Each structure stands twice: as structure tokens, then as C-alpha cells.
Amino acid sequence: MVIEAVKLSVSYDNTQVIKEVSFTLAEGVVAVVGPNGAGKTTLLKAISGLVSYAGSLKIMNKDLRDFSAEERARLITYVPPLVDVMPDMSVGDLILSDPLVSKELLEEYIELFELSSLLKRRLSKVSSGELSRALLAKGLSKNSKIVALDEPLSHIDLRFQLILLKHLRVLSKGGKLILVASNQLNPLLSYVDRVVALKKGEVVFTGDVASFLRSSTPERIYGVKFEVVFKDGYVDIIPRELA
Amino acid sequence: MCPLMSSLEIFVLWRKRRFLTTLTLSALILAILFFTHLSLGYSVMNPLNVLLSGITQLITGSLGIEGYRVLRALTAVVVGATLALSGYLMQLSTKNPLADPYILGVSSGALFAVSLTLSISGYVLHPLMIGVRTITAFLGGLIAYLATLFIASKAGMSPTSLVLAGVAVGTFFYSASLLPQYFISRDIHKLIAWSMGSFVSPSADALILMISALLLTMSYAFYVRHPLNNLQVSDDFVKQLGWDPARLRRYSTLLASLITSFTVAWFGVIGFVGLAAPHISRRVLKSSELVFVLPTSIILGSALLTASDLLSKVLVAGVEIPVNVIASMIGAPVLALAIVELRRYGY
């Protein structure tokens, strides 16, 4: 198992945001879904070693706390949805600011996310989608075994959503575990292997996409009735009415 | 452009060339200002002769007019560099392009602490006092900085709330620093001249100590360049490099306050250089990369203060205008410009 969490809890100011969750995850693309405030970001940050936690979290059969900061930095990458930056930073400055990235991969991702013409542009002058693509290029170029993408679909357009999701499948075939926190079940769930569903800090479901969609979990966590269409290996999830 | 180069390679080359051009031009401007500074004064002298005889005098220890001019010009260069570095570190650690030791009240805090010590001890220019002055300046500056950060954090820590908190703290300490002056009878004129910023009494000891502090702080900044670059983006990125952002801020803040306090202890309050030098550097370089911004800021800070001191001694014949008056008149418009720009970017 790549990740093994046992009774994992995270608290901010005495409020438990993640409540004694236990799950295991193997290589593949994993959708982390759940309503606003369910704890998706916090779970991703805990796995990435960015917040302190209680309980046990093993990465590749080794306790996360036993990794050195550098080992952890190479093994796991967390990519935030957007960032506030100092005004004069350029897109190029941003994606070159991590000493652990591979230059070759960076060039591939500049191509993939069509950033070539944006490198000199100041971050204060790019759109949120362009900033999001730059953050993805920076994060993915580290070539980490585990990649935690926080809301990567929220700002990029449909074309780049598809480019990203198809690419993540290729990466997962190469032995990576990629966590994607998002509420955009369309198109996300057509491209993932497993689903981890959160509600109020608890993991209420882990399993494959078909069982997730056939269960009552989506309706329960979102409070919405869905119509689900399976077609040619893809799924279409249509929210119909409030439950 | 060579068609075989990738867009990334072209960008990296463009950024580096832009840096080297900017650095060369800034160094040239600094050199011209430095030699003009050596040349002008009560009498116009050949700057090369001043430099050569001045250095000889500094080495032998028998200071004449040439030695004095060299020492004063070097002091302006080093203090300018120090304030630029201090401002840059404060900007990085607060993620705020408007930060500067003067604007955030650090200089005024240091000024107050020194004024208070002097008024209690009654001695102004006793040589033994300089160590005490430095330590009290550091403590005063640090307390003022922490007060500013505390108030700003209660007000949401936006760039403008930090500046406003700095104005509140700075005004308080600056006004408080004027009080002790009324209780000192000895050397009152020297004290007032010092508090407004002056290089009239340069000292070789001060210069050596400031150069050491400057080099130490620069080495630290270069050593932590990767986390400092990422501190401009997100604390999460700093953590992902294996660094603790809180600790990084703490050390940067301490060093910035320390080197500012050295300049205040000897040469009084000089504002806006720490704001203007990094701001102009980033704007001209079109980059925020520390490896480029730091050296450019340091040279531009030196040039700004050398120009200010030059003007302060030649603007009115026979009169030394406080250097802070000139430096602020150059630097304050940069602050105004920076505020307007920030607003345009939606801060």
C-alpha cells in the first residue's frame, strides 16, 4: 500500500477537522470528494506532511514522521488551487522556484499546459486558470511518487481539464498515486480509479467509481439527487434536484 | 533566437541577460555617484587623488580631508546597501512589497531607544556609548517591529494595514524620541543632527562592523534563497522544501532589524531606501528571483543613498542638509507609486 491511515485526526484550534479516519490507498488516480468544509484540503495537507496530525499515517510502509524533510519533499507534492503572490513574480519565476524540479519535465509541462508564451508575464496579470496551470506544471515537474492536487479543475477550462485528467491516468500507470480533491464529479469520475468520499471530517466511502455512484453516498453527502449514465467506460453525473 | 532552444531555455537566458545588464548599469551609476561624492565638497578635488590618498590615510590612521571623504562616501554606500537588504528581507518575510524599516516603525523604535539611553546616561558622543547604542537600538527596533506586526495581524495583515500599523507605531516612537532631547543639555545639536540622519561623523569602526553584518546577512539570504523565493508564494511551498516558514520569518526579521539598528545607532533614521531599492529592482528586472533582486537592490540602495548624501552636502553651500530629508524626498514618491500599483492589481 502506498498510503495507510489509521485513526488519522487533524485539529485546528481545538476543532477536529479530520475525525479518526482510516483508509488505505494503492497506486492510481483517486478522487477525494465531499461537500465544502468536509476536510478535503486538510486531508491532502496531512498526507503531504503540511499539517500536524494525530494517529498513524504510513507512506510506503514507513511512518510519515520518520521521513526527513527532504525525503518527504521528494516523495510527496501538494499543489494548491491558487496562491497570492508578490506583485512582480513572473510565471517563469514561479515554476523555476523549486530546486527539486526536473528541467526536462518542466519543459514537457510547459508544452502540455501551453505556458510558453506566458513565462515572462507577471502573475498579477495572468488569469486564475493560467496561474492554476503554472502551479500544476511546477508541482508535477517534481516527479513525486504521491501527488495531491487541491481543486485542480476549478479554474482551468474544459480543454485543460481533459488534458490534465488524461495525463494523470498516464502518470498513475507509471506507478504514482495521485489524489484529486474536487467537486467537479463531471468529468473527474470518468478518469479516476477510486473515490474517497468525505463528510464532516469522516471518510464515509472508499471504493471504485461504479460502486460509489450506485451507492447512496453521493446523495447523502451532497444532499442532491443524481442521475448517473454509464456509457463506453465513461460516466455522466447529472444533478437533478435537491434531496 | 536559436530555434533549437526551448521556451524555458529562452526565458532563463532572457532573465539572466536582463539581470546582468541591470547590474552593470546600476554598478556604473553607483561608480559615477561615488566618484562625484569624493570630488565635491567645500572644495572640488580630483576624485582619483582623493581615493588614493584617502585609502592611504585610512590605513595609516592619520585622517585628513581625503580620508574623511572616502570614509563618508563608503559609509553612504554601505548604509544604503544595508537598508536595501533590510527592506527586502522585510518585504519577503511579510509578503508585502511596501515593507521598509522606516515605514514599519523599526527605525523610529531604534531611535527612541537610543535617545532614551542617551538622555539617561547624559553622554551623547562618548566612544564607549556606541556598543550600548547599538544594543539598545536593536532592542528598540525589534520591539517596534513586533508591535507593528501585532497590530497589522489584528487588522488582517494586508499590505496597506501593515503600512498603517507601521505609521502608528513609527509616529509614536518618533515623537517619543523627541522628548528626551529636551532633557539633554550637552551636545544637543549633534543629537538632533544624528536623529535626522547624517554621515557628517563617519567612523572606520562603524564601517567595518556594518560591512561584516551586511555580508553575514547577505550570506544568510543566499543560503535560504529557495525557501525565501517560495515565501513570496505560499507557506505550503516553503514547508515542501523542508523549511519551517515561521522560523524563516523569525530569522529574517531578526537580521533585518539588527542591521537596520546598526545604521540607526550611528547615523540616525534614513527612510524609504529599503522600500525603493528592491521595488525598482524587481520592476526593472521583471522578476522576483532573489538571486537577481538581492544584488541589484543592494547596489541601487547604495546608489540612492550616495546620491542623497551628495545632494545633502552640495545642495546648499556650507550647509549639511539631513540625509533623511533628501532620501525621503526621493523614496516617498516610490511608496506612492507602489500603493497605486498595488491597488491596480487588486490588493
Side-chain angles (χ1 to χ4, degrees), chain A residues 73 78 84-85 93 107 138, chain B residues 6 15 95 230 240 288 347:
Chain A
Y78 169 81
D84 288 323
V85 288
D93 286 336
E107 288 183 350
K138 169 175 159 137
Chain B
S6 70
R15 201 170 62 155
K95 204 173 158 180
N230 279 277
Q240 294 198 65
S288 67
Y347 276 83

Side-chain angles (χ1 to χ4, degrees), chain A residues 6-11 16 18 20 52-57 65:
Chain A
V6 180
K7 293 195 167 181
L8 173 72
S9 301
V10 181
S11 304
Q16 231 177 19
I18 297 289
E20 298 198 359
S52 48
Y53 59 88
S56 148
L57 191 51
R65 296 185 181 98

Side-chain angles (χ1 to χ4, degrees), chain A residues 45 50 69 73 77-78 83-89 92-93 96-99 107 110 116 119-120 122 138, chain B residues 6-8 11 14-15 95-97 226 230 232-233 236-237 239-242 283 287-288 342 345 347:
Chain A
K45 285 191 174 183
L50 298 176
T77 300
Y78 169 81
V83 286
D84 288 323
V85 288
M86 295 262 288
D88 285 288
M89 182 174 271
D93 286 336
L96 285 167
S97 63
D98 193 329
E107 288 183 350
I110 287 171
S116 296
L119 292 177
K120 288 182 193 171
R122 290 157 68 177
K138 169 175 159 137
Chain B
S6 70
S7 57
L8 185 66
F11 171 77
W14 170 81
R15 201 170 62 155
K95 204 173 158 180
N96 183 341
H226 295 306
N230 279 277
Q232 304 177 69
V233 189
D236 287 337
F237 284 157
K239 285 184 198 163
Q240 294 198 65
L241 294 174
R283 186 49 43 87
S287 172
S288 67
L342 275 184
Y345 298 136
Y347 276 83

Side-chain angles (χ1 to χ4, degrees), chain B residues 44-113:
Chain B
V44 178
M45 294 161 84
N46 179 337
L48 272 179
N49 288 345
V50 175
L51 187 64
L52 293 176
S53 337
I55 289 172
T56 319
Q57 288 172 11
L58 282 173
I59 291 167
T60 55
S62 58
L63 218 57
I65 176 75
E66 293 89 355
Y68 170 79
R69 281 197 182 179
V70 170
L71 195 56
R72 178 166 172 173
L74 281 177
T75 302
V77 167
V78 172
V79 171
T82 303
L83 293 173
L85 178 59
S86 174
Y88 183 48
L89 283 177
M90 287 178 179
Q91 289 168 15
L92 291 177
S93 56
T94 57
K95 204 173 158 180
N96 183 341
L98 304 180
D100 163 277
Y102 178 66
I103 295 171
L104 298 191
V106 178
S107 307
S108 303
L111 186 74
F112 168 70

Side-chain angles (χ1 to χ4, degrees), chain B residues 213-340:
Chain B
L214 182 67
L215 289 177
L216 178 83
T217 310
M218 273 171 70
S219 318
Y220 169 76
F222 269 104
Y223 178 64
V224 296
R225 63 189 179 280
H226 295 306
L228 277 182
N229 269 329
N230 279 277
L231 205 56
Q232 304 177 69
V233 189
S234 143
D235 280 11
D236 287 337
F237 284 157
V238 178
K239 285 184 198 163
Q240 294 198 65
L241 294 174
W243 291 82
D244 176 357
R247 190 179 295 170
L248 194 65
R249 283 205 178 85
R250 206 151 50 231
Y251 290 159
S252 306
T253 300
L254 274 175
L255 281 170
S257 303
L258 183 70
I259 58 177
T260 302
S261 307
F262 282 166
T263 69
V264 175
W266 275 297
F267 307 109
V269 171
I270 299 160
F272 299 105
V273 175
L275 168 90
H279 186 79
I280 297 168
S281 304
R282 278 193 298 260
R283 186 49 43 87
V284 176
L285 292 167
K286 294 185 188 288
S287 172
S288 67
E289 167 59 51
L290 182 139
V291 173
F292 304 140
V293 176
L294 193 142
T296 313
S297 296
I298 281 175
I299 292 183
L300 279 181
S302 299
L304 262 171
L305 206 51
T306 309
S308 303
D309 191 44
L310 180 63
L311 287 174
S312 87
K313 69 175 181 173
V314 301
L315 215 54
V316 183
V319 177
E320 292 272 357
I321 301 169
V323 69
N324 189 32
V325 172
I326 311 282
S328 298
M329 285 174 74
I330 299 174
V334 179
L335 172 65
L337 201 72
I339 292 173
V340 174

Side-chain angles (χ1 to χ4, degrees), chain B residues 198-217:
Chain B
S198 168
F199 296 130
V200 174
S201 318
S203 120
D205 294 340
L207 192 64
I208 291 166
L209 195 75
M210 279 193 311
I211 290 175
S212 320
L214 182 67
L215 289 177
L216 178 83
T217 310

